[in-house]
Amino acid sequence: MQSDRRIVNLALIGFMGTAKTSVGRLVAESLRFEYVDTDEMIQSGTGRIVSDIFKTDGEAAFRALEEKTVAELASRVKTVIATGGGLPTNLNNFTSLKKHALIVCLWASPEKIWERVKNQSHRPLLHDENPQAKIRELLAAREPFYKQADVLLNTELRSVREVAQQIVHQFRLATSSR
Ligand code: S3P
């Protein structure tokens, strides 16, 4: 564990469709923490939706906004931070979050992810000729980043409530000895 860590927040990372939002809201409620979502922060800060930023300014511009948002979160306490699926692939984001948050990764197989996202249309990276192949490709590329989380939880066989309970338990364990 990094010696300069002070765990006062909880960050949820993981691929699109791993239920970060619904799990994050429940965890925040249980811990009596505030809930924030980096995509929502970007949207309210810019007055634009994520897919428009991707389309008009490109992915690199969106990733710069993500990094700025993560830097702003460094002064937070008692906050559950749900992050966009690609955010932890930027080392600056991972390093920054790790200083103040327990990092929990929600995991699911490409098949399960496809099942969960196939009827949704707001994710620009899945506007692809073959979204299932895109999910497999992105997930494989991101796996090494996701697996650096403090806690890795498979969400496939657990309900949102069970996943949230596990996370609350892990957070209490991680913060009780200090
Ligand atoms: C992205 C995931 C999205 C959003 C953007 C890019 C990604 O967030 O940040 O569309 O790169 O995986 P969710 O993981 O909340 O869908």
Side-chain angles (χ1 to χ4, degrees):
M1 206 181 268
Q2 279 171 237
S3 55
D4 60 345
R5 283 187 91 183
R6 182 175 155 263
I7 298 177
V8 289
N9 299 310
L10 192 145
L12 280 179
I13 65 170
F15 205 77
M16 302 172 251
T18 51
K20 288 166 292 186
T21 304
S22 25
V23 168
R25 287 189 191 281
L26 272 184
V27 172
E29 204 180 293
S30 298
L31 292 173
R32 296 199 169 83
F33 276 21
E34 195 181 334
Y35 170 83
V36 299
D37 175 301
T38 56
D39 283 347
E40 281 170 15
M41 288 175 73
I42 290 169
Q43 294 189 149
S44 60
T46 58
R48 299 164 66 194
I49 59 169
V50 169
S51 55
D52 175 53
I53 301 171
F54 265 77
K55 201 165 137 201
T56 313
D57 303 348
E59 181 172 350
F62 175 75
R63 298 301 173 199
L65 288 167
E66 276 190 325
E67 190 172 324
K68 186 168 157 266
T69 305
V70 169
E72 283 165 16
L73 288 166
S75 56
R76 285 267 177 170
V77 294
K78 294 190 171 212
T79 305
V80 172
I81 304 161
T83 62
L87 183 145
T89 62
N90 174 339
L91 189 63
N92 289 339
N93 291 341
F94 210 101
T95 309
S96 176
L97 287 174
K98 204 138 197 186
K99 284 191 182 144
H100 58 86
L102 184 76
I103 303 190
V104 177
C105 178
L106 301 186
W107 184 261
S109 66
E111 295 73 27
K112 193 73 185 176
I113 288 168
W114 173 241
E115 209 178 292
R116 290 178 183 164
V117 303
K118 66 182 173 196
N119 295 320
Q120 303 172 342
S121 61
H122 63 282
R123 295 185 173 95
L125 289 175
L126 300 182
H127 299 163
D128 193 89
E129 259 179 25
N130 186 343
Q132 284 175 275
K134 185 76 181 182
I135 289 171
R136 277 196 299 275
E137 176 200 315
L138 279 175
L139 190 59
R142 290 174 179 180
E143 187 172 342
F145 299 95
Y146 291 150
K147 295 219 159 145
Q148 284 175 47
D150 298 302
V151 179
L152 186 65
L153 270 178
N154 193 324
T155 63
E156 288 188 30
L157 298 172
R158 296 179 171 107
S159 67
V160 165
R161 191 159 289 280
E162 284 166 338
V163 173
Q165 277 167 356
Q166 272 289 326
I167 294 173
V168 169
H169 177 68
Q170 293 289 341
F171 186 79
R172 292 198 169 126
L173 273 182
T175 53
S176 63
S177 56
R178 38 199 81 229

